[in-house]
């Protein structure tokens, strides 16, 4: 196998990989219910357990809103229900160089994405007549300089029971603690169940052939560390699982909705069997959980706690917030390679303070580590070329006797100590590393709006002037020209000549960070190819004839 056939193999493998990833985004298995003890039938915005009354109908966002602001988040909370109806990420621009900040949760015409939570049950405050109406001490709450935590209590009193819903935001954190304190000063035992869910307008899963990203539901439950549950899955069948929650042993589980670079997730913090559910209604998709019932005796109080993550996919921070939440940074089936590559890339960036330079250095490291494989590949190809005259003479002598031809070829390879797959196997070993690095770049929120130099001001966006894709195609063309070919079939020659053009067009829509990686990889290949061929020529193993 010569190097031009290798280029064709790379193209086929890479395109096949992209097609597979796009198919994987559009189709996901529907998990079966396991250990279900309680059906999470729902209607409107509130899930209903077997002992709950019929819930209220879906309600619009009220006009009685408050804002809660930390150094990284600005939340808008509806005092009716206490839901987060808007979440602005203060550290992330909406578009490159935009004065507007990125809004993850929102309630706008045509697109609703909110984080809801509440209490149902015999003593619940979410009923068919309406959601809880909380009282607050102010309209705006801001984390002051020098303050590490901001707590915002919202209260209501019903039937001698005081309900306090508290939002707690910490400096630099996208994890929000949401607690319900139930102070029962009535004469009877209060029984409540806390629920939390994410509600979003149904839409396409997202992604494209070159950027096969995912938008939709995802959850973690017991032995299922990370499972996608798309909007199509929700419409086909409601998810209904019972998960065992034990915060002391980090057995938590969570329900989330994610998109490229960002994720919103509810994490239950109360021990016991928790029901995980999805449903759809009126063009909206829901994913969330229903906690086990809690009994509060007269004259006592109890606190129920959950955590809401609303922010970027920052792996270390998410890992510290909930078990397996960092898996929403979806590296695919090569995660065990992509994750350390991302860690190394982050380390290099911390030294050079430029993600583009870090990509270049990282690519050089990868190509350097794979140099022995590359050298073995070209050496094997050179030996195979040296045997071409003998193989041609063998074909003319033997004719159409394929069995005899195969036997004598194997004897020749054995005699000359040549492995016919030597040029192919190193390439196959390299592809998982290339693909894993591709995913580590594509999933890194750190590259969003990250500048490189000159006209490349966003490594997560395509090159606005298509310079990098053109240079990448030119480098691919040079690799072909430097690689002597034994291809004589006119059709194969046309395919090989067309390959750099096809890849150039294909890469026009790739994020510039990925194109930069491929360009530098090609340049490194050219340098290594030159050095290897020069060494082989000295040994008499390489001929440009």
């Amino acid at each position: 196998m010569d190097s031009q056939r290798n280029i064709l193999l790379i193209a086929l493998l890479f395109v096949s990989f992209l097609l597979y990833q796009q198919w994987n985004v559009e189709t996901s298995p529907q998990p079966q219910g396991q250990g279900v003890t309680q059906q999470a039938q729902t209607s409107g915005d509130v899930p209903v357990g077997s002992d709950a009354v019929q819930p209220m109908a879906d309600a619009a966002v009220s006009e009685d809103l408050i804002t809660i602001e930390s150094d990284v988040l600005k939340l808008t909370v509806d005092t009716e229900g206490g839901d987060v109806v808007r979440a602005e990420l203060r550290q992330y621009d909406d578009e490159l160089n935009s004065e507007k900040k990125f809004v993850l949760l929102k309630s706008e015409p045509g697109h609703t994405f909110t984080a809801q939570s509440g209490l149902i049950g015999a003593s619940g405050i979410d009923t068919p007549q309406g959601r809880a109406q909380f009282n607050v001490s102010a309209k705006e709450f801001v984390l002051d300089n020098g303050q590490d935590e901001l707590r915002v209590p919202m209260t209501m009193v019903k039937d001698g029971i005081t309900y306090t819903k508290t939002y707690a935001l910490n400096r630099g954190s996208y994890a929000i603690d949401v607690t319900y304190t139930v102070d029962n000063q009535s004469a009877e035992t209060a029984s409540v169940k806390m629920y939390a869910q994410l509600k979003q307008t149904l839409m396409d899963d997202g992604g494209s052939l070159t950027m096969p990203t995912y938008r939709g539901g995802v959850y973690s439950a017991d032995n299922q560390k990370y499972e996608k549950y798309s909007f199509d899955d929700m419409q086909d069948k409601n998810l209904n699982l019972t998960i065992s929650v034990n915060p002391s042993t980090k057995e938590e589980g969570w329900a989330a909705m994610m998109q490229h670079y960002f994720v919103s997730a509810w994490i239950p913090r109360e021990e016991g069997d928790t029901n995980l559910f999805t449903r759809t209604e009126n063009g909206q998709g829901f994913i969330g959980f229903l906690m086990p019932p809690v009994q509060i005796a007269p004259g006592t109080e109890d606190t129920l706690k959950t955590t809401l993550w609303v922010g970027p996919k920052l792996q270390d921070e998410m890992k510290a917030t909930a078990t397996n939440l960092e898996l929403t940074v979806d590296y695919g089936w090569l995660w065990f390679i992509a994750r350390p590559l991302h860690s190394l890339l982050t380390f290099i960036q911390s030294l050079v303070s430029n993600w583009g330079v870090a990509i270049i250095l990282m690519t050089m490291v990868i190509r350097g580590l794979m140099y022995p494989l590359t050298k073995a590949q070209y050496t094997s190809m050179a030996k195979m070329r040296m045997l071409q005259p003998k193989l041609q003479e063998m074909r003319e002598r033997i004719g159409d006797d394929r069995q005899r031809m195969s036997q004598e070829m194997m004897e020749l390879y054995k005699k000359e100590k040549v492995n016919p797959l030597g040029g192919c196997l190193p390439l196959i070993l390299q592809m998982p590393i290339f693909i894993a690095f591709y995913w580590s770049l594509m999933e890194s929120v750190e590259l969003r709006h990250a500048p490189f130099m000159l006209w490349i001001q966003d490594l997560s966006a395509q090159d606005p002037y298509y310079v990098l894709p053109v240079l990448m195609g030119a480098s691919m063309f040079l690799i072909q020209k430097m690689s002597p070919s034994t291809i004589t079939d006119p059709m194969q020659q046309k395919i090989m000549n067309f390959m750099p053009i096809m890849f150039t067009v294909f890469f026009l829509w790739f994020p510039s960070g990925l194109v930069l990686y491929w360009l530098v990889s090609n340049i490194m290949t050219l340098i290594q190819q030159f050095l290897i061929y020069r060494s082989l020529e000295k040994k008499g193993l390489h001929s440009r004839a």
Side-chain angles (χ1 to χ4, degrees), residues 336-514:
F336 56 93
I337 300 176
R339 194 170 296 171
L341 288 178
H342 177 270
S343 298
L344 181 56
L345 179 66
T346 302
F347 172 74
I348 295 175
Q349 193 277 337
S350 68
L351 300 178
V352 299
S353 300
N354 185 298
W355 285 103
V357 175
I359 290 173
I360 293 174
L361 295 177
M362 182 72 175
T363 309
M364 294 173 67
V365 169
I366 292 175
R367 295 299 307 183
L369 292 175
M370 292 192 301
Y371 179 76
L373 290 177
T374 304
K375 184 175 181 180
Q377 174 185 348
Y378 286 117
T379 301
S380 177
M381 289 160 49
K383 290 181 178 180
M384 287 294 296
R385 280 194 294 271
M386 290 181 63
L387 295 181
Q388 288 303 312
K390 294 183 180 181
L391 291 172
Q392 183 61 32
E393 183 275 330
M394 189 182 299
R395 293 189 187 96
E396 294 174 354
R397 174 169 51 84
I398 296 177
D400 296 333
D401 191 342
R402 294 188 176 182
Q403 183 176 358
R404 183 183 171 191
M405 180 68 184
S406 177
Q407 290 175 347
E408 294 199 15
M409 284 177 61
M410 295 307 297
E411 290 177 2
L412 178 63
Y413 292 150
K414 185 176 181 181
K415 177 181 178 182
E416 298 293 339
K417 299 181 180 180
V418 174
N419 182 0
L421 298 178
C424 180
L425 289 177
L427 176 66
I428 294 175
L429 293 175
Q430 293 174 35
M431 284 305 296
I433 299 177
F434 290 149
I435 294 172
F437 194 37
Y438 160 84
W439 272 109
S440 66
L441 291 178
M442 194 183 73
E443 280 289 292
S444 298
V445 66
E446 293 87 352
L447 266 65
R448 183 180 186 270
H449 297 168
F452 174 38
M453 61 175 61
L454 302 176
W455 71 97
I456 303 296
Q457 294 300 309
D458 184 359
L459 288 166
S460 69
Q462 67 187 57
D463 186 335
Y465 304 113
Y466 306 116
V467 176
L468 290 180
V470 171
L471 291 177
M472 188 281 304
S475 66
M476 193 173 181
F477 177 78
L478 289 176
I479 291 176
Q480 281 188 273
K481 287 300 180 181
M482 283 187 62
S483 304
S485 174
T486 60
I487 297 177
T488 58
D489 180 70
M491 182 57 68
Q492 290 189 38
Q493 288 179 346
K494 289 181 180 180
I495 293 175
M496 295 309 305
N497 291 334
F498 182 72
M499 196 63 63
I501 299 175
M502 185 196 77
F503 257 55
T504 299
V505 174
F506 201 58
F507 273 63
L508 292 177
W509 291 274
F510 265 59
S512 54
L514 295 175

Side-chain angles (χ1 to χ4, degrees), residues 47-72:
V48 182
S50 58
D51 61 343
V53 297
Q54 289 299 313
M56 59 163 236
D58 195 0
V61 175
S62 75
E63 297 181 356
D64 195 2
L65 306 175
I66 65 170
T67 59
I68 306 173
E69 190 171 350
S70 71
D71 57 328
V72 297

Side-chain angles (χ1 to χ4, degrees), residues 19 62 184 219 261-262 272 288 304 318 325 337 377 389 434 438 444 451 456 524 531:
L19 290 172
S62 75
N184 183 11
Y219 69 91
Y261 297 134
F262 302 99
L304 295 81
M318 288 192 297
L325 187 58
I337 300 176
Q377 174 185 348
F434 290 149
Y438 160 84
S444 298
I456 303 296
M524 290 294 295
L531 295 175

Side-chain angles (χ1 to χ4, degrees), residues 168-179:
L169 283 69
N170 293 285
R171 181 171 297 278
S173 176
Y174 294 95
I176 307 160
D177 288 331
V178 182
T179 59

Side-chain angles (χ1 to χ4, degrees), residues 87-229:
E88 178 182 296
L89 310 188
R90 300 184 62 194
Q91 302 293 322
Y92 293 85
D93 294 339
D94 184 34
E95 301 290 344
L96 182 64
N97 298 323
S98 171
E99 294 183 358
K100 296 182 179 179
K101 297 303 179 181
F102 180 78
V103 177
L104 181 54
L105 301 182
K106 61 186 70 175
S107 185
E108 301 173 349
H111 188 192
T112 296
F113 186 14
T114 58
Q116 304 176 318
S117 58
L119 297 178
I120 61 174
S123 305
I125 49 179
D126 290 312
T127 70
Q129 289 70 41
R131 303 289 303 283
Q133 181 60 58
F134 291 100
N135 297 312
V136 290
S137 60
K139 289 289 186 180
E140 297 181 358
F141 301 86
V142 180
L143 183 70
D144 294 331
N145 293 331
Q147 186 180 5
D148 291 329
E149 183 185 52
L150 174 63
R151 298 182 65 84
V152 179
M154 310 167 65
T155 62
M156 75 165 291
V157 180
K158 178 184 176 183
D159 299 331
I161 305 174
T162 301
Y163 302 86
T164 304
K165 184 175 187 177
T166 303
Y167 281 93
L169 283 69
N170 293 285
R171 181 171 297 278
S173 176
Y174 294 95
I176 307 160
D177 288 331
V178 182
T179 59
Y180 271 95
T181 300
V182 181
D183 184 7
N184 183 11
Q185 297 303 318
S186 71
E188 298 181 358
T189 298
S191 177
V192 297
K193 292 187 291 186
M194 183 177 181
Y195 73 91
Q197 63 187 14
L198 296 162
K199 166 187 172 184
Q200 184 168 192
T201 302
L202 297 173
M203 57 184 62
D204 293 336
D205 288 347
S208 63
L209 180 62
T210 56
M211 290 286 287
T213 58
Y214 172 80
R215 186 183 191 120
V218 61
Y219 69 91
S220 179
D222 294 339
N223 295 328
Q224 296 166 298
K225 295 182 178 180
Y226 170 78
E227 293 289 337
K228 293 177 181 177
Y229 209 81

